[in-house]
């Protein structure tokens, strides 16, 4: 896990926001990075997810709230740090969300995006990429929204239009315990296809894809794709 303090010189006590927080995994990293006395908020659009996060994470220093990241109920410039982690590809109009994150960030505050990418991965990571791609297809069938994983340069192209200074890019590898969770999900891929895609025209194709990925995992193992951490300061 990235030790964020190293990349956030001069970070002041204040409020930090994690957009699309789910159960607060990245928000807890912000707790460690922010100066003592700061307030860390994890925001997600799903009320059920927020309720579960509050229940599971009580006492860990994060406040959870339901909110629309494209239309936040915060005044301009109130946050010392805003972040979004492995959520950008789930957002159809990600430009509106990035602009809104910039609006609520104070001038000189830190803007952070953490997003896994698909290129230049080892064999085990390529297995994760293929698994994630299948999960994106199943998510779309279930009414959700999820793009296939971007390449590194595609993420940079999305972000470089933002008016940020002192930009730093760091590649991040998750702790190995995360790979065990990916392996557990891999073992359930066929069941996931049978649940979410049964009766659809692509059912057999998706089923074959799931079996191929499981066979690949047996051969290569599975490791989380490398992530790009993109950090800059609001001009």
């Amino acid at each position: 896990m990235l030790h964020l303090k190293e990349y956030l010189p001069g970070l002041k006590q204040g409020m930090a926001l994690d957009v699309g927080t789910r159960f607060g995994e990245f928000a807890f990293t912000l707790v460690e990075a922010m100066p003592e006395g700061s307030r860390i908020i994890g925001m997600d659009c799903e009320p059920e997810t927020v309720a579960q996060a509050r229940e599971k994470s009580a006492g860990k220093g994060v406040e959870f709230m339901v909110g629309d990241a494209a239309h936040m109920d915060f005044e301009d410039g109130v946050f010392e740090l805003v972040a979004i982690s492995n959520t950008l590809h789930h957002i159809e109009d990600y430009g509106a969300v990035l602009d809104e994150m910039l609006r609520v960030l104070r001038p000189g505050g830190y803007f952070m995006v953490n997003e896994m990418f698909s290129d230049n991965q080892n064999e085990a990571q390529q297995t994760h990429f293929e698994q994630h791609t299948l999960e994106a297809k199943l998510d779309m069938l279930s009414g959700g929204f999820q793009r296939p994983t971007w390449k590194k340069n595609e993420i940079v192209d999305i972000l470089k239009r933002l008016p940020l200074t002192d930009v730093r890019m760091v590649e991040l590898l998750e702790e190995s315990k995360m790979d065990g969770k990916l392996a557990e999900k891999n073992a359930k891929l066929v069941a996931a296809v049978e649940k979410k895609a049964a009766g659809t025209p692509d059912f057999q194709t998706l089923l074959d894809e799931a079996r191929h990925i499981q066979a690949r995992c047996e051969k290569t193992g599975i490791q989380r794709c490398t992530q790009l951490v993109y950090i800059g300061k609001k001009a």
Side-chain angles (χ1 to χ4, degrees):
M1 176 55 70
L2 188 70
H3 299 289
L4 289 178
K5 284 185 178 180
E6 178 182 350
Y7 301 99
L8 301 169
L11 184 65
K12 299 177 181 179
Q13 181 192 79
M15 293 202 300
L17 176 67
D18 181 35
V19 173
T21 193
R22 287 186 57 78
F23 302 115
E25 294 91 343
F26 198 73
F28 300 136
T29 304
L30 300 183
V31 172
E32 298 176 1
M34 291 294 292
E36 186 175 351
S38 295
R39 180 184 175 195
I40 292 83
I41 299 172
M43 186 174 71
D44 200 275
C45 64
E46 297 291 343
E48 291 184 4
T49 300
V50 170
Q52 292 180 51
R54 287 171 178 161
E55 182 179 349
K56 294 179 179 180
S57 306
K60 293 186 178 180
V62 178
E63 302 173 35
F64 292 99
M65 63 175 290
V66 179
D68 178 357
H71 303 90
M72 299 189 207
D73 293 327
F74 298 113
E75 295 183 3
D76 295 356
V78 294
F79 285 96
E80 175 69 19
L81 182 152
V82 295
I84 185 167
S85 177
N86 285 315
T87 300
L88 207 61
H89 64 283
H90 286 273
I91 302 172
E92 192 165 5
D93 187 2
Y94 55 76
V97 172
L98 292 172
D99 289 344
E100 187 70 346
M101 289 171 62
L102 198 65
R103 179 187 68 79
V104 301
L105 180 66
R106 74 164 182 85
Y110 281 97
F111 192 104
M112 184 183 309
V113 175
N114 178 41
E115 187 77 17
M116 67 181 244
F117 55 91
S118 62
D119 50 327
N120 298 319
Q121 308 289 342
N122 64 36
E123 288 296 315
Q125 290 175 313
Q126 182 67 24
T127 301
H128 177 217
F129 166 64
E130 292 187 18
Q131 177 173 316
H132 191 265
T133 300
L134 175 58
E135 290 169 344
K137 295 175 184 177
L138 296 178
D139 193 22
M140 295 290 279
L141 284 176
S142 302
F145 183 85
Q146 186 175 171
R147 291 180 179 83
T149 308
W150 284 302
K151 294 181 179 180
K152 180 179 175 180
N153 70 304
E154 292 174 325
I155 299 170
V156 174
D157 285 343
I158 289 168
L159 299 176
K160 68 183 182 182
R161 71 169 182 82
L162 299 173
L164 302 175
T165 63
D166 302 327
V167 171
R168 300 187 69 175
M169 290 182 281
V170 184
E171 293 189 9
L172 166 66
L173 281 175
E174 287 280 11
E175 297 176 354
S176 57
K177 65 181 181 181
M178 296 295 294
D179 301 336
K181 294 181 179 179
L182 291 176
E184 291 175 6
K185 291 178 71 176
N186 187 276
K188 301 174 182 177
L189 275 185
V190 167
V193 171
E194 290 173 341
K195 179 180 179 180
K196 297 181 178 181
T200 67
D202 294 330
F203 173 66
Q204 189 59 53
T205 300
L206 293 170
L207 196 61
D208 292 343
E209 188 174 342
R211 289 170 176 157
H212 162 77
I213 295 167
Q214 287 181 327
R216 180 186 173 92
C217 188
E218 287 290 326
K219 181 179 179 180
T220 68
I222 190 166
Q223 181 184 5
R224 189 170 179 84
C225 289
T226 306
Q227 298 170 84
L228 176 68
V229 185
Y230 188 101
I231 304 171
K233 299 177 76 173
K234 181 176 177 179

